[in-house]
Amino acid sequence: MCGIVGAVAQRNVVPILVEGLKRLEYRGYDSAGVAVLNGGIRRVRRVGRVAEMEQAARAENLTGLLGIGHTRWATHGGVTEPNAHPHVSCDEIAVVHNGIIENHDAQRERLKKLGYAFESQTDTEVIAHLVHYYYCQGGDLLAATQKAVRELVGAYAIAVMSLKHADIMVCARVGCPLLIGVGDGENFVASDVSAVLSATRRVIYLEEGDVAEVTRDRVRIFDRAGAPVERKVHVSDVSLASLELGPYSLFMQKEIHEQPKALADTIEAVILEGVTPKLFGDAAAEVFKHIDSVQILACGTSYYAGSTARYWMEAIAKIPCNVEIASEYRYREIVPNPKCLVVTISQSGETLDTMEALKRAKELGHAHTLSICNVQESAIPRASKLVYFTRAGAEIGVASTKAFTTQLAALFVLTLTLAKVKGRLSPQAEADHIDTLRHLPGSVQHALNLEPQIRAWSERFTPKQNALFLGRGIHYPIALEGALKLKEISYIHAEAYPAGELKHGPLALVDRNMPVVVIAPNDSLLEKVKSNMQEVKARGGELYVFADLDSHFTESEGVHVIRTPRHAGVLSPIVHAIPVQLLAYNTAVARGTDVDKPRNLAKSVTVE
């Protein structure tokens, strides 16, 4: 959840580190720091945003040819300057770290007995002292780091530098993402490619257990066993433009409005080639032929995408589908089914809970695995047999928007593919569904055009402290997503329920101070939803209804209606995701919260 950047060059690396940290700030942002070699280990750390640390570094005229930097999202220890990274041992070793060291207490006690003094409450300081302890035994930074990481239990990505090695940086990873940026006469380390794009597009993604020694003109990589290995150099296709705001005020606003293009890019292959297993990989046809059920594993917004897909899977493909929160899956007794397709969903491809759930599924004998992900070369796709990459582009805002809708599109394509392989999709039905997909970006654009009306609603939500979201059937997960978005960025407490559950408890909360948002498309459950709305109205509740153009709703006292485009059929959940995103976004803006970087949250969840 934190961000790491490091650089070794023949120029001052401080501007590179600061720029990289700004690009990574969305990952974690309660404090930031950099350390460079320049007559000693010089370090600047500040609580708050990168800009505050940058100002301090400039005031101290911080310069150096080798350095590491970090943005922190607190886990062990409070948000204080002593807990901020980099951490230093004996003025000789400096370390930045992403992840959690589970055996840090035992290591801390051991190191104290060896004479090491601790200045922070973090698990990371253990790494710095442990590397120093082994470094003192041989004077080899690479060997010391290799020995130290063998004693760590948990997840980590680290970058290490030593006072006595002005041209060497060592890095290692287990469970957390880390890459090496390959430049000309200079090299870099980062937890995300966005941190190095201004310097290079050539990157090496480290594998699980890798330890690497990085100098200005050389990269040496060793696997978990200590054997030298070669890792492929990739040329990143992420553009710097995608990481800039352009004409928008905030990244979440930008990403909401990028959804028509993101969806068009994600479904382009099926529009051009039709429904075919090869969209998911060369082995997909054989795998899909033998599976008899689907298990979806995901967290947060991705879990809601999976929950929506369950309705498609069972209605269209006629395949049993179970959806489970990834962090729960690995901690219960499971009856494995070798014929089950295990689908993991992750925007970053590095979500630790989802990665660990995938590992657990494979340990249980699940060989049929498929990843739906937005980031190529990330860990979860590499660990999966099949993969479908969404093409949402870089998503910077912590609250996911375009990643969610493109995940839904990918899951719908998967549904159609499974239905076709199983002989449950007629040529006419396939043509009809592809036509619906073809019109999806346009329908989403029409929904985006509703923003002025939704902005007017947001003004009414601004003073509220609670909200209720209702949906039925396939739109219930969209109600869940709407409530999540509102609570994430506006800090209004929001809950979602299937509308039929209203009278089984939540109705007790309804009064004139509790806005009730209803997802009410013109589908087979519309009349049921109308009955639930009457229950709210009879108790003096204020209704905010997202209906379709062809739904027969009329506004009245306490009933506000916004009509999305004509009912989008089976893809209606994707279209109705747009107005709930806009409602959350505009309410948060009106309340003056930090929309892109909501408190206590981070974009890439790489700790458990």
Side-chain angles (χ1 to χ4, degrees):
M1 299 172 87
C2 309
I4 289 173
V5 63
V8 53
Q10 293 176 315
R11 54 175 167 149
N12 179 19
V13 299
V14 173
I16 301 170
L17 300 179
V18 170
E19 174 67 17
L21 293 180
K22 287 179 178 178
R23 300 288 186 191
L24 294 174
E25 197 171 12
Y26 72 97
R27 297 173 67 98
Y29 37 80
D30 53 47
S31 60
V34 295
V36 296
L37 291 186
N38 190 341
I41 295 177
R42 297 187 59 197
R43 176 175 55 163
V44 172
R45 300 178 293 173
R46 289 293 184 273
V47 169
R49 296 298 166 82
V50 173
E52 298 170 51
M53 186 275 297
E54 179 186 18
Q55 185 176 4
R58 189 180 298 116
E60 294 189 22
N61 193 29
L62 195 69
T63 62
L65 305 181
L66 171 65
I68 53 178
H70 190 268
T71 58
R72 179 174 187 252
W73 188 87
T75 51
H76 294 80
V79 182
T80 65
E81 190 170 307
N83 287 334
H85 299 217
H87 288 284
V88 174
S89 177
C90 303
D91 295 323
E92 290 187 343
I93 299 292
V95 173
V96 290
H97 163 229
N98 182 16
I100 288 180
I101 305 304
E102 295 175 7
N103 64 334
H104 71 98
D105 281 335
Q107 290 289 351
R108 181 183 291 258
E109 290 308 309
R110 172 196 171 197
L111 289 162
K112 283 181 177 178
K113 292 176 181 177
L114 290 170
Y116 287 94
F118 284 80
E119 299 177 353
S120 76
Q121 302 164 298
T122 68
D123 54 343
T124 302
E125 195 174 0
V126 164
I127 304 173
H129 291 321
L130 201 56
V131 172
H132 182 267
Y133 171 73
Y134 285 115
Y135 180 80
C136 289
Q137 296 179 9
D140 185 322
L141 185 61
L142 173 65
T145 304
Q146 288 174 314
K147 289 179 181 178
V149 297
R150 290 190 192 111
E151 298 190 14
L152 302 178
V153 177
Y156 57 82
I158 63 172
V160 186
M161 67 181 193
S162 164
L163 175 64
K164 296 179 181 178
H165 297 278
D167 188 34
I168 296 177
M169 180 169 44
V170 175
C171 57
R173 66 150 297 200
V174 165
C176 295
L178 198 66
L179 60 86
I180 296 170
V182 181
D184 295 321
E186 56 188 19
N187 287 310
F188 313 90
V189 170
S191 50
D192 190 300
V193 69
S194 62
V196 299
L197 278 180
S198 61
T200 183
R201 290 188 171 279
R202 293 183 293 158
V203 296
I204 298 170
Y205 295 95
L206 295 182
E207 299 285 342
E208 193 81 348
D210 281 355
V211 179
E213 182 185 74
V214 182
T215 68
R216 281 193 288 264
D217 53 13
R218 186 179 66 180
V219 174
R220 293 197 298 157
I221 303 174
F222 302 85
D223 65 16
R224 191 191 294 269
V229 291
E230 295 290 330
R231 301 293 185 213
K232 183 180 177 182
V233 177
H234 300 265
V235 179
S236 174
D237 60 359
V238 177
S239 70
L240 277 174
S242 70
L243 306 175
E244 303 290 348
L245 280 169
Y248 297 97
S249 301
L250 295 162
F251 278 107
M252 185 176 180
Q253 179 191 32
K254 175 178 183 277
E255 288 153 12
I256 288 173
H257 285 271
E258 286 176 339
Q259 287 177 106
K261 183 180 186 305
L263 285 163
D265 290 344
T266 296
I267 62 176
E268 180 182 28
V270 73
I271 298 297
L272 295 175
E273 302 176 32
V275 176
T276 170
K278 69 180 182 180
L279 296 171
F280 297 86
D282 294 337
E286 190 66 21
V287 169
F288 292 169
K289 189 187 304 181
H290 293 99
I291 64 106
D292 63 6
S293 60
V294 174
Q295 170 72 66
I296 297 176
L297 303 172
C299 300
T301 288
S302 296
Y303 170 74
Y304 297 148
S307 299
T308 305
R310 181 179 62 180
Y311 290 90
W312 288 328
M313 291 282 183
E314 300 198 345
I316 298 172
K318 308 298 182 186
I319 293 176
C321 180
N322 186 46
V323 188
E324 189 160 355
I325 295 171
S327 58
E328 293 293 318
Y329 176 83
R330 61 187 290 221
Y331 293 114
R332 69 175 181 86
E333 292 296 323
I334 297 164
V335 179
N337 172 12
K339 293 185 177 181
C340 179
L341 176 67
V342 176
V343 179
T344 48
I345 312 171
S346 168
Q347 189 283 138
S348 68
E350 305 285 353
T351 309
L352 186 61
D353 288 322
T354 306
M355 184 71 221
E356 292 300 322
L358 174 59
K359 289 180 182 177
R360 175 65 173 148
K362 292 167 75 173
E363 289 169 359
L364 291 169
H366 287 289
H368 305 317
T369 57
L370 185 152
S371 165
I372 292 175
C373 180
N374 191 42
V375 180
Q376 298 196 25
E377 296 301 326
S378 52
I380 293 174
R382 290 201 306 267
S384 303
K385 187 169 187 176
L386 307 175
V387 64
Y388 191 103
F389 287 110
T390 57
R391 296 169 64 189
E395 189 178 67
I396 304 300
V398 167
S400 181
T401 52
K402 61 179 181 175
F404 175 63
T405 51
T406 54
Q407 286 170 356
L408 286 172
L411 287 161
F412 186 71
V413 173
L414 175 62
T415 299
L416 297 183
T417 306
L418 292 175
K420 187 172 182 178
V421 169
K422 299 296 183 182
R424 296 161 191 161
L425 187 70
S426 68
Q428 184 58 54
E430 178 180 351
D432 290 345
H433 285 310
I434 289 177
D435 191 57
T436 303
L437 279 169
R438 186 178 290 110
H439 287 93
L440 178 62
S443 296
V444 167
Q445 184 58 59
H446 283 302
L448 288 169
N449 294 341
L450 299 171
E451 186 165 15
Q453 297 168 254
I454 296 171
R455 189 178 298 118
W457 277 13
S458 69
E459 294 171 4
R460 297 173 180 173
F461 276 71
T462 301
K464 304 297 184 182
Q465 298 303 315
N466 303 281
L468 193 62
F469 284 69
L470 302 177
R472 292 202 77 145
I474 198 169
H475 293 90
Y476 167 51
I478 304 307
L480 286 164
E481 174 64 7
L484 177 62
K485 283 292 161 285
L486 190 66
K487 73 179 77 170
E488 276 184 310
I489 60 173
S490 75
Y491 314 146
I492 294 172
H493 172 248
E495 299 295 339
Y497 284 87
E501 280 292 291
L502 190 63
K503 55 187 173 292
H504 296 289
L507 199 57
L509 297 172
V510 171
D511 60 20
R512 61 186 179 86
N513 294 315
M514 170 77 83
V516 179
V517 179
V518 185
I519 314 298
N522 188 18
D523 60 13
S524 60
L525 292 173
L526 180 59
E527 293 306 315
K528 297 291 186 183
V529 173
K530 286 182 177 179
S531 297
N532 303 135
M533 289 168 54
Q534 289 301 320
E535 296 170 356
V536 172
K537 189 175 180 182
R539 277 116 183 128
E542 195 94 351
L543 287 157
Y544 294 83
V545 184
F546 289 116
D548 291 328
L549 192 62
D550 45 2
S551 295
H552 299 292
F553 280 102
T554 54
E555 289 211 9
S556 60
E557 183 68 28
V559 180
H560 313 281
V561 180
I562 290 178
R563 303 181 191 280
T564 61
R566 190 172 300 278
H567 185 48
V570 289
L571 297 182
S572 176
I574 300 178
V575 177
H576 275 84
I578 307 305
V580 298
Q581 292 173 358
L582 290 170
L583 178 62
Y585 170 77
N586 284 284
T587 302
V589 169
R591 285 169 69 94
T593 63
D594 193 339
V595 175
D596 285 339
K597 305 180 183 72
R599 67 189 182 201
N600 305 332
L601 300 177
K603 184 66 176 174
S604 181
V605 184
T606 55
V607 295
E608 188 178 5

